Amino acid sequence: MARTVLIAGNWKMNKTIAEGESFADGLKSSIGDHDCEFAVFPPFFSVPFVSARLEGAGVTVGAQDLFWEKSGAFTGEISAEMIADAGGTAVLIGHSERRHEIGETNDVVSRKLKAALDAGLVPVLCVGETLEDREAGDAEPYVRIQLESAVAGLTVHQVQRMILAYEPLWAIGTGRTASPEDADTMHRFVRKFIESRFGADLAASIRILYGGSVKPENATALLGKEDIDGALIGGASLDLDTFLGIAAAAEDPS
Ligand code: PGA
């Protein structure tokens, strides 16, 4: 089953509103040169501005996190409904920086995933092992536990609306990338997991992005792999030319 390549930029805590708008304008004017889909995840403040600039362009604009309650006394938090109200249609869930820098547990990730689905957002569920687990040969069991916890109790219909991202912790922002073969092996493992729980059709259609030091130089090899359906890009997504360079490299079959 054909899965359209998705090139997604996670800006993390970068870019002012004006910088986000200017990036959005540039992206909008370059979209016609590419066959892939694009998504950007600006900081919360910029979501309404970036989504307004990208209106009608077919680019997904999402937030980097949410809180699972709809409203109430949760100082500093933002709900899924607020993201949708601001023009966001997607949200990153369980990014490794939230899991490991902020301390989000699998239980928290699962609540956030359900809140995103309930509000009609497209969740991009991030999973990925630590270096210790990879070196101990436990990468797959580690990722399996993250997946099991996140999708417990979800229906086929709900999982159909999700995107997955495999981001090995040791490859994020470090300049180290998983080899295309290792990444593809993990993507196949994730797809098999989805097949075992939700059936072959869903497993064949769900997109699994790779994230961790993706750049134009390694995108062709990574995205050339059968089970890698796109990229979730941090550092290299901040510069428009580099971001578009990744899309061009992903579209280059050589
Ligand atoms: P990176 O970040 O591309 O800077 O490694 C990827 C991510 O955290 O999504």
Side-chain angles (χ1 to χ4, degrees):
M1 186 177 297
R3 299 181 292 264
T4 309
V5 168
L6 177 64
I7 301 297
N10 170 14
W11 295 354
K12 308 191 179 181
M13 201 172 71
N14 292 292
K15 290 196 189 295
T16 61
I17 292 171
E19 287 166 348
E21 287 180 324
S22 138
F23 185 106
D25 291 344
L27 180 58
K28 190 169 185 174
S29 64
S30 309
I31 292 274
D33 305 337
H34 295 278
D35 298 330
C36 56
E37 282 179 28
F38 288 97
V40 287
F41 295 86
F44 282 130
F45 272 133
S46 299
V47 167
F49 299 93
V50 171
S51 71
R53 292 296 180 105
L54 285 167
E55 201 176 342
V59 176
T60 298
V61 179
Q64 299 169 14
D65 183 35
L66 54 68
F67 191 65
W68 58 83
E69 295 287 350
K70 285 187 166 52
S71 63
F74 304 103
T75 301
E77 298 293 351
I78 305 252
S79 70
E81 289 73 13
M82 290 170 180
I83 294 167
D85 184 47
T89 56
V91 61
L92 302 180
I93 301 285
H95 187 277
S96 73
E97 281 147 20
R98 298 222 50 95
R99 291 178 187 264
H100 296 278
E101 306 287 334
I102 317 283
E104 284 187 9
T105 60
N106 281 330
D107 177 53
V108 163
V109 170
S110 145
R111 289 178 193 221
K112 291 187 170 189
L113 177 57
K114 289 189 181 69
L117 287 165
D118 286 350
L121 297 177
V122 173
V124 180
L125 172 69
C126 305
V127 296
E129 80 284 358
T130 63
L131 185 57
E132 297 86 72
D133 283 284
R134 165 127 321 238
E135 286 178 342
D138 288 336
E140 290 184 357
Y142 188 96
V143 168
R144 172 193 289 279
I145 289 169
Q146 290 181 323
L147 287 168
E148 266 170 357
S149 161
V151 302
L154 297 186
T155 64
V156 169
H157 183 67
Q158 287 174 308
V159 178
Q160 250 164 8
R161 292 174 30 222
M162 292 170 53
I163 294 171
L164 302 175
Y166 168 58
E167 299 204 305
L169 194 61
W170 46 272
I172 295 180
T174 58
R176 279 182 75 175
T177 320
S179 72
E181 292 68 31
D182 284 350
D184 197 40
T185 301
M186 183 61 90
H187 281 228
R188 220 170 9 260
F189 173 78
V190 171
R191 206 177 294 287
K192 282 262 163 240
F193 172 86
I194 294 294
E195 182 176 342
S196 72
R197 298 302 161 95
F198 300 101
D201 286 352
L202 178 43
S205 65
I206 198 163
R207 285 188 285 187
I208 309 174
L209 314 181
Y210 170 78
S213 300
V214 176
K215 35 189 186 275
E217 297 74 35
N218 57 29
T220 305
L222 283 162
L223 282 125
K225 291 292 178 193
E226 194 179 332
D227 280 296
I228 301 183
D229 308 316
L232 182 55
I233 306 146
S237 75
L238 296 175
D239 174 72
L240 181 62
D241 289 341
T242 311
F243 187 56
L244 293 173
I246 292 171
E251 287 157 0
D252 176 1
S254 60

